[in-house]
Amino acid sequence: MVKVTLDNVSKFFGKVRAVTDLNLEVGDGEFVALLGPSGCGKTTTLLMIAGIYRPSRGRILFDNEDVTGLPPKDRNVGMVFQSYALYPHMTVYDNIAFPLKLKKVPKQEIDRKVRKVAKLLRIDNLLARRPGQLSGGQQQRVALGRALAKEPDVLLLDEPLSNLDAKLRILMRAELKRLQKELRVTTVYVTHDQVEAMSMADRIAVMNAGKLQQYADPQGLYNKPANLFVAGFIGSPPMNFVEGSIREDLSGGYYFDAGAFKFKLPKELGELISSKSIDVVMGFRPEHVKLSLNREEYSIEGQVYVVEPLGRDIVVNVKVGDMLFKVVTKPGVELRPGQRIWLVLDVDKIHFFDKFNERAIV
Amino acid sequence: MARARGSLRRRLLRAKLAAVIKYLVVVVVAVVPLFPIWSMIAWLLIQSFSGRVILGLIPSSLTINNWRFLWSPIKMGLKEYPNIWPITFNTLLLALGVSGLVVLVSTMSGYALSRMEFRGRTALMEFIIALHAFPSVILLIALFVILNKLGLYGKGYMTLLGIVLIKAGLEIPMASWIIKGFFDSIPWDLEWAALVDGCSRWRAWRSVIVPLVLPGIGAISIFSFLAGWSEFLLVFTYVKDEAYYTLPVLIYHMIGEFKFIDWGMLAALGLFFTIPTLIFFSTSQKLLLRIYVGGVKR
Ligand SMILES: Nc1ncnc2c1ncn2[C@@H]1O[C@H](COP(=O)(O)OP(=O)(O)OP(=O)(O)O)[C@@H](O)[C@H]1O
Ligand SMILES: [Mg+2]
């Protein structure tokens, strides 16, 4: 097991900047998720760790040893490709055994390992088939088996669960996490599903447009998003945002002016924000809002627009001016569209971002 | 409701009719061109076992005399030609040599053309295909000079080897092009997976890539075998010693040097000429069908 360090790594394809100045450290045995929208450079990053792509700039270290120029076969990484990349001409058994054969593991040992992994991933009844005769989910598990059987130092997973059905995905999530902890194998897990990242990873690296946005544990990302992108990307339904400015009233108090509404701020908070920036974006999570039928302190007045029941929770869309805010709340109170309602915000859980550089202020 | 069901039945009937017509057309299109070819071969077969052929067309009386070249040297007029077996061996050598060399070189060059970025790749590929546009006739003299300089002229098997090199050289460009297409269809991910799994680039090529282009290899091995097997011009021009003739040249002499033509023997020889080709074809066509799909999401 090794510690993986990306030291100022960039990868350019001609004019395309796939990854820019990425600094990332994945601890020994740690489970790190690379999270970001499509095309943000996740796969490129994995391929650089695997040694397929050579970084245009920067270094990659395994246990503080520079492996930037080391060919993939000498890195002992296991990888599940986004496309599975199973060898179509080999049976499932041979697919899983292939890396072991290359390592010159004795035949009986290979057999034992292949069967063990196959059993774990519930593909032991498919060993004689070829990839073309498997469903997408089965192929994905074979790919996972192939990466695991070789007992790699670093496990690289490129959206390994994307093709499973919802039930199996949740099952495999837990299974994979348990397996990772058991094997203590350093893992980089690529996904664009934030729930997957949040539920599995020790730490999450959020990427956007080739740049690292924030690298923190799931709670850290949720509670203290570093910028607007992370704030909007993490959490479902996403955080509500309002643009506006911080103003001081005659009595020396502070309020947030969004045009459509004014929102009074506690004095210390107002001072803190206005000392950094005047034009800001306010953000609050749908689950950090209480709905009230009367005006309360720290509340915003609006109208019920539409109600989406989700079973355990309901999402209430509230119209304020021409903005729509989402609020997650328990079902119970009867809400009619058009009804007047107040959003009571939890002042400790409001986020403010600089409107221009989009960084978090508080 | 009833009317709807009625029209459904009518539509079903129409669909069935359309299917029948479609298959009929397909069968006709597939069978009709085969018919003259097979009938020619059948005719050759009958011809080769008949004693007398009237007007070179109508067979009569059964004999194996036409196949006498199999066990005795061919004697015609005053001239005696060498036994058919060494000649067949020469031809086979030439054909297998060409085929082997073409497959070896073009699987590697096709891979390089498909996978490796280097300056002038497109230009090279256009140049290669332009090369193929020249018929080998115009190269005869220049190639003769080269063969001579290399000491490969008039040296028996060495001359045949020289011809193998020339013929392979002429076939490789097209073969590389064809096999390049097969390499192009293999996703990068597969090759990368092999590298991550512990292959060197060479090993990945051998264990993962080549097995997936077997159909392509089958195709180029068949057509280069055929090219070598039926090569006439080069052997005719460069080989003077009858012992190193190949079958096409032998057949040419049988037709060319006599006033009258032994149609029966020519038919037998023609059939004999096609047999190894059929054998080679039937073995290597298995490669053509070894197509694996799946395993990679696109
Ligand atoms: N070989 C290449 N040549 C040119 N551009 C490339 C190449 N590979 C990737 N890119 C570009 O680099 C960027 C990052 O690609 P990458 O495959 O890493 O995205 P990703 O985060 O894995 O996306 P997805 O979630 O869709 O898989 C994209 O804009 C892509 O178009
Ligand atoms: Mg990707």
Side-chain angles (χ1 to χ4, degrees):
Chain A
M1 310 299 110
V2 299
K3 179 178 83 175
V4 178
T5 313
L6 304 190
D7 178 19
N8 237 7
V9 168
S10 302
K11 180 68 189 175
F12 310 137
F13 298 103
K15 281 206 167 66
V16 181
R17 294 169 161 258
V19 173
T20 317
D21 297 328
L22 179 61
N23 285 294
L24 200 69
E25 191 178 293
V26 184
D28 182 354
E30 195 176 12
F31 192 134
V32 166
L34 274 184
L35 178 64
S38 188
C40 73
K42 305 180 297 282
T43 300
T44 307
T45 306
L46 273 203
L47 288 173
M48 284 193 288
I49 299 176
I52 299 291
Y53 285 157
R54 197 179 229 285
S56 309
R57 285 206 307 254
R59 298 184 307 154
I60 293 173
L61 310 158
F62 282 10
D63 270 345
N64 300 325
E65 217 171 295
D66 194 336
V67 296
T68 316
L70 208 62
K73 72 184 174 72
D74 300 323
R75 297 194 183 195
N76 195 27
V77 298
M79 180 158 176
V80 173
F81 285 79
Q82 198 165 5
S83 65
Y84 330 135
L86 297 176
Y87 309 123
H89 59 298
M90 297 184 197
T91 60
V92 168
Y93 183 98
D94 289 333
N95 262 282
I96 301 175
F98 188 62
L100 297 169
K101 274 185 198 145
L102 292 169
K103 273 185 166 179
K104 305 216 159 43
V105 176
K107 255 206 157 71
Q108 290 173 348
E109 182 99 0
I110 291 182
D111 192 61
R112 199 179 53 75
K113 286 183 176 174
V114 171
R115 290 187 192 285
K116 192 176 137 203
V117 160
K119 192 153 186 211
L120 190 75
L121 297 168
R122 269 166 268 174
I123 44 175
D124 39 353
N125 55 335
L126 307 173
L127 286 174
R129 292 206 208 164
R130 279 186 218 287
Q133 304 161 315
L134 302 179
S135 75
Q138 289 168 333
Q139 292 184 42
Q140 216 152 31
R141 278 178 286 157
V142 175
L144 199 55
R146 183 177 65 183
L148 286 173
K150 70 183 281 199
E151 288 163 14
D153 289 334
V154 182
L155 188 59
L156 305 173
L157 306 170
D158 200 346
E159 310 206 9
L161 305 183
S162 59
N163 262 61
L164 307 181
D165 60 68
K167 197 173 145 206
L168 191 57
R169 178 156 54 213
I170 290 170
L171 207 75
M172 286 290 291
R173 249 188 232 160
E175 198 70 30
L176 206 59
K177 184 170 177 174
R178 191 188 59 77
L179 204 69
Q180 192 273 339
K181 287 290 165 242
E182 194 178 297
L183 301 172
R184 287 193 33 71
V185 54
T186 310
T187 302
V188 182
Y189 185 104
V190 162
T191 177
H192 56 235
D193 179 349
Q194 46 134 342
V195 181
E196 210 166 277
M198 299 288 271
S199 64
M200 293 172 83
D202 298 325
R203 275 197 287 177
I204 299 172
V206 182
M207 291 179 70
N208 187 32
K211 297 204 182 84
L212 182 65
Q213 303 294 317
Q214 190 173 2
Y215 186 32
D217 64 349
Q219 281 312 309
L221 282 187
Y222 181 79
N223 294 332
K224 286 196 167 60
N227 57 35
L228 266 180
F229 177 81
V230 177
F233 199 73
I234 302 289
S236 170
M239 192 182 273
N240 299 298
F241 293 115
V242 212
E243 267 183 34
S245 43
I246 301 292
R247 297 259 153 81
E248 214 177 324
D249 62 20
L250 297 170
S251 59
Y254 289 89
Y255 63 96
F256 173 77
D257 185 2
F261 66 90
K262 292 184 174 56
F263 182 76
K264 187 167 154 299
L265 294 172
K267 192 160 168 47
E268 315 84 72
L269 187 63
E271 269 171 359
L272 187 67
I273 299 166
S274 61
S275 70
K276 298 207 176 127
S277 182
I278 299 297
D279 294 309
V280 296
V281 177
M282 179 170 91
F284 53 92
R285 295 201 181 276
E287 56 271 34
H288 294 157
V289 182
K290 204 178 76 189
L291 288 178
S292 167
L293 297 174
N294 316 304
R295 179 185 299 279
E296 289 185 25
E297 208 184 9
Y298 304 123
S299 66
I300 303 168
E301 184 184 340
Q303 278 178 350
V304 174
Y305 187 68
V306 76
V307 180
E308 310 166 30
L310 292 181
R312 191 162 37 126
D313 296 321
I314 55 172
V315 177
V316 185
N317 291 263
V318 179
K319 202 169 163 105
V320 178
D322 53 3
M323 293 172 282
L324 265 189
F325 294 133
K326 284 185 187 293
V327 176
V328 174
T329 173
K330 296 277 170 238
V333 197
E334 194 65 33
L335 292 167
R336 281 169 290 100
Q339 181 180 350
R340 241 154 59 114
I341 205 155
W342 278 267
L343 308 176
V344 185
L345 306 192
D346 183 345
V347 182
D348 295 332
K349 289 180 176 162
I350 305 178
H351 303 265
F352 284 94
F353 305 90
D354 188 305
K355 188 172 152 191
F356 299 108
N357 66 22
E358 304 195 342
R359 294 222 189 89
I361 301 169
V362 280
Chain B
M1 188 66 195
R3 230 197 60 190
R5 193 176 296 145
S7 86
L8 186 68
R9 191 173 302 150
R10 202 162 340 119
R11 262 182 289 165
L12 222 68
L13 203 70
R14 211 179 310 145
K16 239 178 230 165
L17 204 69
V20 168
I21 290 172
K22 202 163 62 190
Y23 279 112
L24 223 62
V25 169
V26 167
V27 167
V28 167
V29 167
V31 170
V32 165
L34 283 179
F35 184 71
I37 299 174
W38 281 112
S39 58
M40 292 295 273
I41 291 172
W43 178 74
L44 266 184
L45 195 66
I46 296 166
Q47 203 66 306
S48 71
F49 285 107
S50 57
R52 234 160 44 89
V53 181
I54 303 154
L55 293 174
L57 267 176
I58 306 149
S60 66
S61 84
L62 189 73
T63 177
I64 53 164
N65 190 40
N66 290 329
W67 293 88
R68 64 185 179 280
F69 59 84
L70 291 180
W71 51 86
S72 63
I74 306 160
K75 221 183 285 178
M76 285 204 141
L78 298 174
K79 209 161 156 79
E80 191 180 280
Y81 282 95
N83 192 299
I84 192 91
W85 295 109
I87 304 278
T88 308
F89 178 74
N90 292 344
T91 320
L92 205 61
L93 214 64
L94 180 67
L96 287 177
V98 170
S99 168
L101 203 60
V102 166
V103 166
L104 190 73
V105 175
S106 41
T107 42
M108 289 193 276
S109 64
Y111 175 82
L113 286 175
S114 161
R115 285 299 209 243
M116 294 176 181
E117 293 276 341
F118 51 87
R119 190 173 308 200
R121 180 173 68 164
T122 329
L124 181 67
M125 275 166 38
E126 282 161 4
F127 180 69
I128 283 175
I129 205 72
L131 213 59
H132 204 78
F134 295 100
S136 52
V137 192
I138 61 164
L139 301 172
L140 275 180
I141 297 169
L143 285 172
F144 175 75
V145 175
I146 295 172
L147 270 188
N148 215 354
K149 279 260 149 52
L150 288 174
L152 292 177
Y153 178 67
K155 291 269 168 62
Y157 280 123
M158 291 308 275
T159 310
L160 279 182
L161 176 72
I163 294 172
V164 165
L165 291 178
I166 294 169
K167 192 65 194 170
L170 291 169
E171 294 295 326
I172 282 170
M174 198 59 186
S176 303
W177 253 86
I178 292 175
I179 200 100
K180 173 193 173 288
F182 283 84
F183 283 117
D184 283 347
S185 71
I186 298 178
W188 269 109
D189 277 9
L190 267 181
E191 194 167 350
W192 290 341
L195 295 179
V196 168
D197 280 347
C199 288
S200 59
R201 188 112 193 228
W202 176 253
R203 181 74 203 262
W205 180 79
R206 202 159 53 89
S207 302
V208 173
I209 306 297
V210 167
L212 294 176
V213 295
L214 280 183
I217 292 177
I220 61 171
S221 69
I222 285 173
F223 90 68
S224 55
F225 180 89
L226 286 180
W229 182 257
S230 55
E231 175 56 34
F232 171 74
L233 198 59
L234 293 170
V235 184
F236 182 69
T237 319
Y238 298 140
V239 177
K240 287 299 149 214
D241 187 343
E242 285 162 6
Y244 301 102
Y245 274 180
T246 58
L247 283 172
V249 177
L250 188 73
I251 293 174
Y252 167 80
H253 282 294
M254 317 241 47
I255 309 171
E257 285 181 10
F258 302 96
K259 290 285 174 286
F260 73 96
I261 298 168
D262 186 342
W263 287 108
M265 188 162 85
L266 200 61
L269 238 122
L271 267 183
F272 180 75
F273 181 63
T274 57
I275 290 168
T277 324
L278 291 179
I279 294 171
F280 187 80
F281 188 79
S282 64
T283 43
S284 52
Q285 74 154 352
K286 291 199 191 89
L287 292 182
L288 287 179
L289 301 175
R290 199 169 299 174
I291 299 166
Y292 300 107
V293 288
V296 186
K297 186 174 64 173
R298 302 191 187 235

